[in-house]
Amino acid sequence: MPELASASAGGKVYVTTSVDPEHPGGHALDGKPATFWISTGLYPQELILELGLPGVLEGVRLSCTRVRRVRVEVSRQEEAMNFALVAETELQDEEDGLQAWTVDLPPQDTDRPTFFVRVSILSGWQDFCSVHDISVTGTPMPHARIAAPAPAGRDDGEEEGMRAARSQVRKATRRASKGNLEVEIPEHAPKDATEPDAPKQSAHVHTWSSPAARHP
């Protein structure tokens, strides 16, 4: 059965709730039992996997230590959101070895592939736990990314006009930042026939003179 989440398939750990530089989340997908991700805080803990090969899931296998209750959820969105529960169990503690859990998943929707898998460790047998390997098997499913729809009420011409306006603003901003600010002064609008002239100051009045000087 094809492996969908391994590093060799292009899979990666999208998010972890604990970060230890010596034991990063990617160790859970490298296929090496001697490497592992380790928790550094309280429960619950999470690892969200981004599948290298999105597809229809058939099974999940987990190798770990000190994990008590674990949950698996999947997302068929192209962003890590809207997860749906597919499996949950409680593991027996193995003091001297790895815990192993394999689960066959219920039939999955074949109209759209799974993109993300979230493994949640709800509780542990000790304060810290480790995950040595996560395997996700299934059938890869070709897919095309769905383009985001244009905002409602906007046609292509209007969208093109807005892009042109944004481009002009960016160019003006660049000119200003270089000290070559260009200012355009618009022409005066023609005066209406009924518009009165602005009041004019008498030529013999001096603005800074005293009232006595203005009225001898």
Side-chain angles (χ1 to χ4, degrees), residues 71-91:
R71 173 186 297 162
V72 176
E73 299 165 287
V74 301
S75 170
R76 297 181 181 87
Q77 305 293 318
E78 295 186 28
E79 301 292 338
M81 57 190 299
N82 297 332
F83 285 88
L85 176 66
V86 292
E88 185 173 337
T89 193
E90 182 169 312
L91 305 180

Side-chain angles (χ1 to χ4, degrees), residues 150-165:
R154 238 183 234 171
D155 58 24
D156 293 340
E158 184 179 357
E159 193 69 25
E160 181 65 29
M162 293 185 67
R163 283 196 293 269

Side-chain angles (χ1 to χ4, degrees), residues 58-126:
E58 297 187 17
V60 173
R61 184 178 69 252
L62 178 68
S63 297
C64 52
T65 65
R66 302 298 186 259
V67 171
R68 184 165 185 170
R69 190 153 197 87
V70 62
R71 173 186 297 162
V72 176
E73 299 165 287
V74 301
S75 170
R76 297 181 181 87
Q77 305 293 318
E78 295 186 28
E79 301 292 338
M81 57 190 299
N82 297 332
F83 285 88
L85 176 66
V86 292
E88 185 173 337
T89 193
E90 182 169 312
L91 305 180
Q92 294 298 315
D93 192 19
E94 299 289 345
E95 294 184 2
D96 300 321
L98 291 176
Q99 299 166 293
W101 177 49
T102 300
V103 57
D104 294 326
L105 300 181
Q108 304 291 299
D109 185 0
T110 58
D111 293 336
R112 186 165 176 77
T114 292
F115 289 90
F116 293 91
V117 173
R118 179 165 65 190
V119 177
S120 300
I121 301 170
L122 305 179
S123 61
W125 291 103
Q126 289 189 357

Side-chain angles (χ1 to χ4, degrees), residues 166-184:
R166 286 194 293 267
S167 176
Q168 291 176 357
V169 170
R170 285 194 295 270
K171 290 178 181 178
T173 302
R174 285 196 295 270
R175 287 197 300 268
S177 64
K178 293 178 181 178
N180 298 323
L181 183 61
E182 299 177 5
V183 179
E184 295 183 5

